[in-house]
Amino acid sequence: MSSTRDIDNLIEMMAKLPGLGPRSARRAVLHLIRKQALLMTPLADLMQTVATTARECLNCGNVGTNDICDICASEKRANSEICVVEDVSDLWAMERSGVFKGRYHVLGGTLSALDAIGPDELRIPRLIDRVQTESITEVILALNATIDGQTTAHYIADQLEGRVKLTSLAQGVPIGGELDYLDDGTITAALQARKAL
Ligand SMILES: [Zn+2]
């Protein structure tokens, strides 16, 4: 067996991470090997821990280490507003801006005829359920300005029409732009200038 086989395998796995290719993965692994005590061992321990504790919030789809996430469990968040996002990374982007004080609902993607993703593949039934059972007065659709994102927003708006006030983030979210790439000021402005659907 090659003496570098495990290291090669590690590089191969790392290269599968978003944002890393084979070249970055090689650099990262080399760095980890050189910083074994300081970086690699604590990282391996943390990954082991998170691998066993990380889960999706049963209520909203956020990730955390409890069945119900910190935001859903918090008594400080407004119960009346739900901000609907595609992905947890969008939720994190909204949280970084610190402007939204309500709760979230993570769809887990967008409707896509091409990829055969319908409402049941996303957390849309659960959203409708929440609107019916929780005391929600406003649903803010913070979906990305992609074609699939907007198709999904229209579908949800159709389903919830007449049941709740529906708004969407104001223009300012660039076309094809993902919330995660926006700076906090842009997100804040887009939320504050949200418009009724
Ligand atoms: Zn939650």
Side-chain angles (χ1 to χ4, degrees):
M1 192 174 90
S2 153
S3 72
T4 60
R5 187 164 155 190
D6 287 344
I7 294 170
D8 292 342
N9 286 345
L10 179 59
I11 292 169
E12 213 172 289
M13 290 295 273
M14 295 276 281
K16 291 179 180 172
L17 295 174
L20 290 187
R23 188 164 174 270
S24 305
R26 280 194 296 273
R27 287 181 58 194
V29 168
L30 199 53
H31 187 72
L32 286 168
I33 290 168
R34 285 177 180 149
K35 304 271 180 190
Q36 196 158 344
L38 206 66
L39 208 55
M40 195 179 222
T41 305
L43 179 67
D45 289 347
L46 269 172
M47 287 182 93
Q48 183 76 50
T49 305
V50 175
T52 53
T53 58
R55 66 196 71 187
E56 287 181 345
C57 172
L58 296 175
N59 193 42
C60 76
N62 187 15
V63 294
T65 53
N66 294 324
D67 283 343
I68 298 297
C69 75
D70 291 348
I71 295 173
C72 285
S74 169
E75 289 175 2
K76 292 188 180 139
R77 312 285 301 213
N79 286 318
S80 55
E81 294 176 359
I82 285 189
C83 180
V84 179
V85 293
E86 287 174 28
D87 193 78
V88 174
S89 61
D90 300 321
L91 185 161
W92 287 351
M94 292 286 294
E95 282 298 286
R96 280 201 303 273
S97 78
V99 68
F100 182 63
K101 305 293 180 208
R103 302 184 195 268
Y104 292 95
H105 194 80
V106 182
L107 295 176
T110 50
L111 296 172
S112 169
L114 208 62
D115 300 317
I117 297 173
D120 292 339
E121 275 70 48
L122 305 173
R123 250 177 233 97
I124 291 178
R126 175 81 194 121
L127 173 65
I128 294 167
D129 198 40
R130 287 183 70 185
V131 169
Q132 283 170 336
T133 56
E134 297 175 26
S135 48
I136 290 151
T137 55
E138 181 177 353
V139 171
I140 301 159
L141 297 169
L143 302 180
N144 293 320
T146 54
I147 290 169
D148 283 347
Q150 293 311 297
T151 304
T152 309
H154 284 128
Y155 176 83
I156 292 172
D158 278 350
Q159 299 296 308
L160 295 178
E161 206 182 349
R163 298 187 197 186
V164 69
K165 181 182 172 191
L166 287 159
T167 56
S168 72
L169 290 191
Q171 293 306 325
V173 181
I175 298 298
E178 296 183 41
L179 281 180
D180 196 21
Y181 292 101
L182 298 184
D183 63 82
D184 299 351
T186 307
I187 291 179
T188 303
L191 184 72
Q192 282 168 347
R194 66 185 182 272
K195 53 191 191 327
L197 284 176

